[in-house]
Each structure stands twice: as structure tokens, then as C-alpha cells.
Amino acid sequence: MRLSRHLALMSIVAGTFTTGSAQAHNRREPKLEFIGRYQPPDVAFDEGVSEIVAYDEDNEELYVVNARAALVEVLSIADPANPVSVDVIDVAAFGGIANSVAVKDGIVAIAVEAFVKQDPGQIIFFDTDRNFLSSVQVGALPDNVVFSPDGRYAVAACEGEPNDDYTNDPEGSVAIVDLNRGAHRPSVAIADFRGWNNRPLPSSVRVYGPGSTVAQDFEPEYCAVSPDSKTAYVTLQENNAIATVDLKRGKVTDVEGLGFKNHKRPGNGIDASDRD
């Protein structure tokens, strides 16, 4: 499941810090200032397009996923008040839609889902001159890709989302792409959740897909990598859980539930309906 889109509008903000009354509490409060925006041409304001943004600080460029196509647009923000489109990376030959993009040390990684969303997807690598380097096959519906801080790994959350009637429910997984030999010669390991199919889970972990195994029901959504580049933490959004992944071993080592929240408590109520 996708997170909310940006309505075809990307805003660039600058952060400054002020003290004021917060100084007494040793706090620094951010102050956001609107600078500029870019809207793709020929796209209505209420249509979702710009979703994931990655910044290349060496070239002062943004890589922006087009959520409706297998495209990543490149914007120059040398003048942040006036973002300018300078290039487009078309990955349509590799799949149906570009879901995520990351940039580090001159390398661009793009997560692309298959034409049939339940089929294996791809992570595509380019350099920041937009030259194609390589591609690797990963799990179904790669929905997020990030680089490890040391640049050795590109880690992708492969959601494995089922079709509407659950007749095709691929396993969720985490793809670990090793770039130790360079982005032109990557190797990939797939960390799956099959070891949890017959293992007791924390009570707050949700498994609800009709006829699905735990591995099929787990749907990785987003990755974060530890500062030492050894461990990834991956949200299992629909399952109310976090998975821990050993990057060197290419293995999921733990699944922790995120517990429960009592919305009857004062100040904790929610309106769960979207029909009013």
C-alpha cells in the first residue's frame, strides 16, 4: 500500500532554527520557510505524480519519482526558488511503474515494479550522468530503496502485495544488493520470512490474508539502515511490526510487534472513517 502522494506538487523548504522561549528548555525549534515549487507540465493539480524525492548534493539535483509512470525526473535546484527539469530517466523497459529512488556517491538506484505487480521487480542502477550501469531482479513490488551509509548496499523493501481477490499473493521480502564490486557488477541476496511461517509471533503482529502464509502476508514497506551499515530495520506496515535484517548474512533475524494503542483513553481518540 502506498503512502500519501504529493498531489503532483513538490515543495522545497529551508530549515532555520530559532531560540526564543524554547531556549529556557534547551530546545531548538525549526522554522520552515517556503522557497519554491515545481509542477510537472500537463498534470492537473489534483493528480498524484511526485512521490519520492532523492537529493544529489554533488550536482544540486533532485531525482523525483513519477508515480504514474516508469519515469524519474531530474530537477536542478541550483536556484531553489526556481527548480528546472533537466533530464528524465525512462525505465519502462524494466517494468510498469517506478516506485522509489535513492542517490549516493554518484550512483542512482531506482525501484521498478513489474508490469504484473505480483511478479518480481527490478532495481536499476545509473550514474548521475544518467548512464545505465546494471539491473537486478528482486522480489515482487519493490516499494522503497535506500543506500547504506557506507554505500556498499542498496536495500529494497519488496512489498509482495496480493491481487484484489488474493488468488496471487507473493511473499514479501527484503532485497540486499551488494555493490562491493561496483554498481556495474552487483550481486543480490533476498531475505525472506519463510522462517516465521511456523513460528510464534508477538500478539500485536497482524496476519490476516485469507489462506496466506506469514511470509506471504508480511508486506515490507520502508527500510532504514544503521549507521554502521550492518543492519536494516524494515517496517511491515500492514502487519504492525518491524523486521530486523542482517545485511552481511542476508537474513531476517527478528520480527517485533509494535504493540497496541487504546484509543478510548482521553486524547487518544481517532476518526477511522474516510466516509464523512
Side-chain angles (χ1 to χ4, degrees), residues 14-73:
T16 59
F17 290 89
T18 59
T19 51
S21 61
Q23 189 173 23
H25 302 284
N26 295 318
R27 294 173 55 191
R28 304 178 74 195
E29 296 183 351
K31 178 182 178 181
L32 300 181
E33 177 186 356
F34 175 80
I35 296 178
R37 65 161 55 98
Y38 173 81
Q39 182 173 337
D42 303 320
V43 176
F45 177 79
D46 61 349
E47 295 182 13
V49 177
S50 302
E51 184 172 16
I52 303 296
V53 178
Y55 178 51
D56 174 17
E57 62 182 343
D58 293 332
N59 296 297
E60 296 184 298
E61 292 178 335
L62 296 177
Y63 288 76
V64 185
V65 165
N66 183 321
R68 298 193 306 160
L71 296 173
V72 174
E73 190 159 13

Side-chain angles (χ1 to χ4, degrees), residues 2-241:
R2 293 186 184 278
L3 302 180
S4 60
R5 303 180 192 274
H6 208 292
L7 300 177
L9 185 68
M10 183 180 63
S11 295
I12 304 165
V13 298
T16 59
F17 290 89
T18 59
T19 51
S21 61
Q23 189 173 23
H25 302 284
N26 295 318
R27 294 173 55 191
R28 304 178 74 195
E29 296 183 351
K31 178 182 178 181
L32 300 181
E33 177 186 356
F34 175 80
I35 296 178
R37 65 161 55 98
Y38 173 81
Q39 182 173 337
D42 303 320
V43 176
F45 177 79
D46 61 349
E47 295 182 13
V49 177
S50 302
E51 184 172 16
I52 303 296
V53 178
Y55 178 51
D56 174 17
E57 62 182 343
D58 293 332
N59 296 297
E60 296 184 298
E61 292 178 335
L62 296 177
Y63 288 76
V64 185
V65 165
N66 183 321
R68 298 193 306 160
L71 296 173
V72 174
E73 190 159 13
V74 186
L75 308 179
S76 171
I77 58 167
D79 177 5
N82 296 288
V84 178
S85 177
V86 295
D87 207 349
V88 173
I89 301 177
D90 187 342
V91 292
F94 298 93
I97 295 176
N99 286 327
S100 183
V101 62
V103 183
K104 187 172 181 64
D105 298 336
I107 304 299
V108 182
I110 303 172
V112 182
E113 70 179 59
F115 295 105
V116 176
K117 190 161 57 172
Q118 288 72 36
D119 290 345
Q122 301 273 332
I123 303 298
I124 319 299
F125 294 97
F126 293 82
D127 62 28
T128 49
D129 292 322
R130 269 73 79 181
N131 298 306
F132 172 77
L133 300 176
S134 64
S135 66
V136 294
Q137 180 174 291
V138 295
L141 188 55
D143 206 32
N144 167 246
V145 62
V146 300
F147 284 103
S148 59
D150 65 2
R152 173 164 180 172
Y153 300 107
V155 184
C158 302
E159 191 167 357
E161 191 175 278
N163 59 3
D164 290 341
D165 60 6
Y166 273 85
T167 57
N168 187 356
D169 187 4
E171 294 181 350
S173 61
V174 179
I176 304 154
V177 185
D178 192 337
L179 304 172
N180 190 45
R181 297 184 298 173
H184 60 292
R185 296 179 63 193
S187 60
V188 61
I190 303 297
D192 61 47
F193 295 92
R194 295 172 188 171
W196 272 262
N197 282 342
N198 300 301
R199 183 184 302 188
L201 293 168
S203 60
S204 63
V205 176
R206 300 179 66 235
V207 177
Y208 57 89
S212 299
T213 65
V214 169
Q216 289 174 307
D217 203 64
F218 279 0
E219 296 188 5
E221 181 77 24
Y222 198 89
C223 304
V225 180
S226 61
D228 63 6
S229 299
K230 294 181 179 180
T231 306
Y233 300 94
V234 183
T235 58
L236 307 178
Q237 179 175 273
E238 280 75 12
N239 312 102
N240 191 43

